[in-house]
Amino acid sequence: MLTVDFTRFPLAPGDRVLDLGCGAGRHAFECYRRGAQVVALDQNGEEIREVAKWFAAMKEAGEAPAGATATAMEGDALNLPFPDESFDVVIISEVMEHIPDDKGVLAEMVRVLKPGGRIAITVPRYGPEKVCWALSDAYHEVEGGHIRIYKADELLAKIRQAGLKPYGTHHAHALHSPYWWLKCAFGVDNDKALPVRAYHKLLVWDIMKKPALTRVAEQLLNPVVGKSFVAYATKPHLPKADLPKADAK
């Protein structure tokens, strides 16, 4: 289940991609399939080891084209172990709402992104997230949990302040909002509640079968109750006037 829409976020074979806070690796795997040179980074060592296993299995199965590479590694989003301007593409999906110093993370992403490079940022959407917080303290008052709810304008302002130029936004995963509302209402750790189990089966069926009915329904509902807000931006090239004199030719 991808949150980034690659029809709006073009990826070319050979692009060097950083999936920051990769989690289980869903976006990293898609980039690998598309022929990118992928680095999946997360602070959770257990998840990184699983991602590395999946990368190896994908290579063995021939799921990635020739020239594609994939590396999984532990790391700190506030102190990335890469030189300046190392990546053509950076993806950070459902991560920034967990990190106290979100401006610091943005600064690090901008540092490692090449001029002209592209960045995709996804966070929980304000409205559906507010419902979750209202229904359950346990949803957000946990170690490593969500510490803020972004309004779209607030996130876009921070993106601009970091030196990036937003070029598009959308919402995603409308069918998932009711699932999380049910989880919060019946207990975030209570997977046995009948409404939660029934809705989870629906989501699994939708993900596996991709029926036209639910695809169309989600597209219609995304602007209203999409669970995620997605923003795309580029890192501008420095004007010649801002370059060192030796480089301003």
Side-chain angles (χ1 to χ4, degrees):
M1 182 189 73
L2 299 174
T3 307
V4 172
D5 181 352
F6 286 93
T7 65
R8 308 181 195 217
F9 189 66
L11 192 69
D15 274 352
R16 185 162 166 79
V17 177
L18 172 63
D19 185 3
L20 181 57
C22 64
R26 58 201 171 104
H27 289 106
F29 300 148
E30 180 64 20
C31 294
Y32 189 33
R33 291 188 187 98
R34 290 171 178 262
Q37 298 176 5
V38 184
V39 176
L41 183 144
D42 201 285
Q43 67 176 2
N44 186 316
E46 184 176 343
E47 286 195 312
I48 282 298
R49 286 187 287 274
E50 285 300 311
V51 170
K53 290 178 183 177
W54 279 105
F55 278 152
M58 290 172 68
K59 181 177 181 179
E60 182 69 21
E63 291 187 32
T69 62
T71 302
M73 61 185 295
E74 290 184 57
D76 180 357
L78 290 165
N79 186 23
L80 296 173
F82 310 112
D84 295 354
E85 303 179 3
S86 299
F87 294 94
D88 303 290
V89 173
V90 177
I91 296 171
I92 183 166
S93 183
E94 311 299 302
V95 173
M96 286 181 57
E97 67 275 9
H98 296 272
I99 300 177
D101 186 7
D102 57 347
K103 290 183 179 180
V105 171
L106 274 167
E108 272 294 87
M109 290 190 291
V110 171
R111 180 183 69 78
V112 302
L113 186 65
K114 296 177 182 178
R118 303 171 305 284
I119 188 165
I121 299 173
T122 90
V123 297
R125 185 184 186 175
Y126 183 82
E129 186 77 345
K130 285 285 284 187
V131 174
C132 289
W133 282 46
L135 289 171
S136 172
D137 289 338
Y139 172 79
H140 61 96
E141 291 183 355
V142 294
E143 185 178 353
H146 298 186
I147 63 170
R148 72 174 63 83
I149 306 176
Y150 287 102
K151 291 183 177 179
D153 289 347
E154 175 194 358
L155 180 61
L156 290 172
K158 288 185 176 184
I159 290 171
R160 292 187 182 97
Q161 289 165 8
L164 297 167
K165 184 177 180 180
Y167 69 84
T169 65
H170 65 89
H171 300 97
H173 309 319
L175 295 182
H176 288 250
S177 289
Y179 172 71
W180 282 102
W181 296 338
L182 288 169
K183 288 268 289 180
C184 289
F186 286 93
V188 290
D189 296 321
N190 181 13
D191 294 327
K192 295 182 179 180
L194 180 59
V196 175
R197 287 191 290 115
Y199 202 95
H200 184 263
K201 286 183 180 180
L202 170 66
L203 291 179
V204 171
W205 172 75
D206 174 59
I207 291 169
M208 298 300 295
K209 300 296 184 181
K210 297 180 174 63
L213 178 63
T214 55
R215 294 299 86 218
V216 171
E218 184 157 75
Q219 288 178 10
L220 293 173
L221 290 170
N222 274 337
V224 183
V225 292
K227 183 72 170 67
S228 295
F229 173 70
V230 188
Y232 305 106
T234 58
K235 179 178 178 178
H237 290 274
L238 280 174
K240 287 187 177 181
D242 293 340
L243 291 172
K245 290 184 178 180
D247 297 329
K249 299 178 180 178

